[in-house]
Amino acid sequence: MNSAIRRLAVAAIILMLALMANSTYLQAFRASDLNGRNDNKRVRDSQFSVNRGAILVGSVPIAQSKPSNDRFVYQRTYPPNIAEAYAPVTGYYSYLFGRAGIELSQNSELNGSDPSMAFRRVVDVITDRRQQGASVTLTLNAAAQIAAYRGLAGKTGAVVALEPKTGKVLALVSRPSYDPNDLAGHDLNKVGANWKKLTEDKSRPMSNRAIKELYPPGSTFKLVTAAAALSSGKYNPQTHVRSPAELDLPQTTVKLPNENGQNCGGSDNATLTVALRYSCNTAFGSVGLELGADALRDQAEKFGFGERQLPELGAAASQFPADPNAPQTAQSAIGQFDVRATPLQMAMVSAGIANGGNVMKPYLVQNIKTVDLKTVSETKPESLHQAVSPDVANQLTQMMIDVVQNGTGKPGQIKGVQVAGKTGTAQTTPDKPPFAWFTAFAPANDPKIAVAVMIEDANVPRNDIAGGALAAPIAKAVMEAVLGQ
């Protein structure tokens, strides 16, 4: 009997110790994660009584909390006239559906529960003040953001603009978009209906095409191929390359044609500069075959391919195919086959060239400050990769200037400002229209902005789809907004 009691006592002690250990683990190590879960309604009830901090662009709130006359105490609001323009960045703050975007990634700072704000919470308790969150100031340029949003009106696509020298995100827009107010309301039946409508919409308005969707970059990827060629030492801007109307590919009877069915600018042996000017598939297919897949992949990775950027929003990693054969390598060299990129990634390519070959890490959160304006954190510019040498970057810049002045990028010209750019038209499937691209930076001699525009669907005839005609004017408007033109 005593033996049985002892065993029972030992088992009870072990269970009690396990319970204490688990409780300690949850309190010490898991509390923040559990409190941050979107489905934790107990915590959400508590947080809805907190005066959540504002999300700012400059000094203008694009998300803020206002007192409400219901059980939730505060109502999260987004400016109705510009809410859709900023939705891919702010995300939403919803009682039923949790958080997204900056509302999610900066949640602990916005609601004041972050460990870095512990002293502030103690002061609030002592002074009997309600807990109040910190404000999050973004790097966005309001004029550029609105110009990008208006430029995409009636289209499906995305725009990303960066400051080349720092990596600051100046614009990040995706259309179609949605109004976060539809999900932040306190009429939960209405919110549920709005969510159902948004998630069932075939145009996918809640999809962040700027950073989370991957697309064939088409001829904008020729910048990466040109960078690999110039960096190899085998090429310079005046090197002649094979550029017939059609390029014979090894291991297949299928040929790689130029878009217009003609040779490159009147020559079967154009220079690399002329090949970029007219965006010759055969020329860059030839270069790709000469360099090989490994060289192209290595160059793409130096520009950021294969890496996830903008942890604030969880951007997807752009992709170069793992093991393409020779024909697939030629296709990859012109941004086709299985090459996939986000608009953010192609903006990074231009920004890296603009910054002397140094690709800066993109960032969206400038700083976080408490209600009494004490800085909780501030982001500092950080170099990501030296993609090419300053000399190669200068050569690429001159070639891109030629594209805008004399080639396919003429619609991207800005009066009195030298623009460097590259167009792209990426083929998809026969039942879908091609994607129209344009990436550029300006001023070419002292870059203040690099931009990438991707048009997924412009609601125009297939034959009218081209990067120069559709995407370049939008990029021009965004660059002009930043440059004050």
Side-chain angles (χ1 to χ4, degrees):
M1 177 66 73
N2 290 339
S3 175
I5 292 174
R6 280 197 300 270
R7 287 196 297 269
L8 183 61
V10 169
I13 291 171
I14 291 173
L15 289 173
M16 185 175 296
L17 290 174
L19 182 62
M20 292 172 61
N22 184 61
S23 178
T24 301
Y25 168 73
L26 290 175
Q27 290 293 328
F29 301 104
R30 292 291 312 282
S32 179
D33 290 342
L34 293 172
N35 286 339
R37 285 178 57 131
N38 267 340
D39 58 354
N40 192 333
K41 290 190 176 182
R42 180 186 64 80
V43 171
R44 197 178 309 162
D45 282 341
S46 174
Q47 290 181 354
F48 262 66
S49 67
V50 173
N51 188 1
R52 193 172 176 84
I55 301 174
L56 304 170
V57 173
S59 59
V60 177
I62 57 172
Q64 62 183 323
S65 293
K66 296 181 179 180
S68 63
N69 296 319
D70 54 37
R71 68 185 181 96
F72 292 117
V73 185
Y74 288 98
Q75 170 69 62
R76 196 62 168 169
T77 65
Y78 307 84
N81 55 330
I82 57 173
E84 291 193 10
Y86 286 102
V89 176
T90 62
Y92 53 80
Y93 183 61
S94 171
Y95 182 84
L96 288 180
F97 302 106
R99 302 167 292 267
I102 292 295
E103 294 278 28
L104 173 61
S105 65
Q106 309 301 313
N107 179 60
S108 63
E109 291 87 352
L110 288 166
N111 68 28
S113 67
D114 193 73
S116 63
M117 301 170 66
F119 179 74
R120 171 75 195 184
R121 291 197 299 277
V122 171
V123 173
D124 288 344
V125 171
I126 294 173
T127 58
D128 196 28
R129 290 187 302 191
R130 275 190 180 275
Q131 180 177 320
Q132 185 164 341
S135 63
V136 176
T137 301
L138 305 181
T139 60
L140 296 176
N141 179 298
Q145 186 80 3
I146 298 304
Y149 183 74
R150 289 173 177 169
L152 288 172
K155 304 175 180 66
T156 299
V159 177
V160 176
L162 303 172
E163 186 175 76
K165 294 178 182 178
T166 64
K168 290 180 181 179
V169 178
L170 301 178
L172 196 158
V173 174
S174 177
R175 289 194 81 166
S177 188
Y178 67 100
D179 187 346
N181 290 296
D182 291 342
L183 303 178
H186 293 173
D187 182 338
L188 302 186
N189 289 330
K190 188 174 181 180
V191 168
N194 290 339
W195 175 269
K196 185 174 186 294
K197 182 179 179 181
L198 285 170
T199 54
E200 292 179 355
D201 190 331
K202 292 183 180 180
S203 71
R204 299 184 297 126
M206 298 177 73
S207 174
N208 194 335
R209 292 171 167 86
I211 62 166
K212 291 191 175 183
E213 299 282 344
L214 295 169
Y215 302 93
S219 293
T220 57
F221 190 80
K222 290 171 183 173
L223 293 174
V224 178
T225 303
L230 296 172
S231 297
S232 72
K234 299 177 182 178
Y235 296 82
N236 63 58
Q238 298 309 313
T239 299
H240 290 269
V241 295
R242 287 184 298 158
S243 55
E246 292 184 326
L247 179 67
D248 291 326
L249 298 176
Q251 305 173 17
T252 180
T253 57
V254 177
K255 298 178 184 294
L256 176 64
N258 283 329
E259 186 70 23
N260 59 8
Q262 302 175 14
N263 62 17
C264 191
S267 173
D268 287 348
N269 195 32
T271 66
L272 198 61
T273 294
V274 170
L276 195 71
R277 178 191 303 165
Y278 296 113
S279 198
C280 299
N281 292 339
T282 58
F284 282 92
S286 298
V287 172
L289 289 172
E290 173 70 21
L291 295 175
D294 291 343
L296 295 179
R297 184 183 306 102
D298 180 64
Q299 185 64 74
E301 289 175 352
K302 288 179 179 178
F303 278 111
F305 276 73
E307 299 174 344
R308 295 174 65 90
Q309 303 299 336
L310 281 186
E312 302 97 318
L313 297 180
S318 297
Q319 304 167 357
F320 187 88
D323 189 25
N325 59 27
Q328 292 165 346
T329 297
Q331 290 281 352
S332 298
I334 64 169
Q336 295 286 169
F337 183 50
D338 285 343
V339 179
R340 295 293 182 270
T342 61
L344 169 64
Q345 177 62 73
M346 298 318 297
M348 289 172 62
V349 171
S350 278
I353 295 169
N355 195 38
N358 187 8
V359 181
M360 302 300 289
K361 184 176 181 179
Y363 65 97
L364 186 58
V365 174
Q366 183 62 62
N367 60 56
I368 299 172
K369 293 185 177 182
T370 61
V371 67
D372 49 6
L373 300 182
K374 291 183 179 179
T375 300
V376 176
S377 66
E378 184 153 7
T379 308
K380 301 295 184 184
E382 181 183 342
S383 176
L384 191 64
H385 300 293
Q386 186 70 35
V388 294
S389 69
D391 182 53
V392 167
N394 182 61
Q395 292 175 347
L396 286 167
T397 296
Q398 298 307 312
M399 292 166 66
M400 292 171 70
I401 290 171
D402 179 71
V403 170
V404 175
Q405 289 184 344
N406 306 307
T408 58
K410 287 181 180 180
Q413 292 178 356
I414 299 174
K415 186 176 181 180
V417 177
Q418 199 169 51
V419 177
K422 181 68 189 80
T423 59
T425 305
Q427 302 298 324
T428 54
T429 58
D431 61 320
K432 292 183 178 180
F435 300 132
W437 286 84
F438 186 70
T439 185
F441 59 88
N445 62 342
D446 184 21
K448 299 293 191 299
I449 176 174
V451 62
V453 178
M454 184 281 304
I455 307 297
E456 186 176 335
D457 188 356
N459 296 309
V460 298
R462 191 181 187 92
N463 291 338
D464 293 341
I465 297 173
L470 295 177
I474 300 173
K476 174 184 176 180
V478 175
M479 290 187 286
E480 287 177 331
V482 171
L483 300 176
Q485 294 293 113

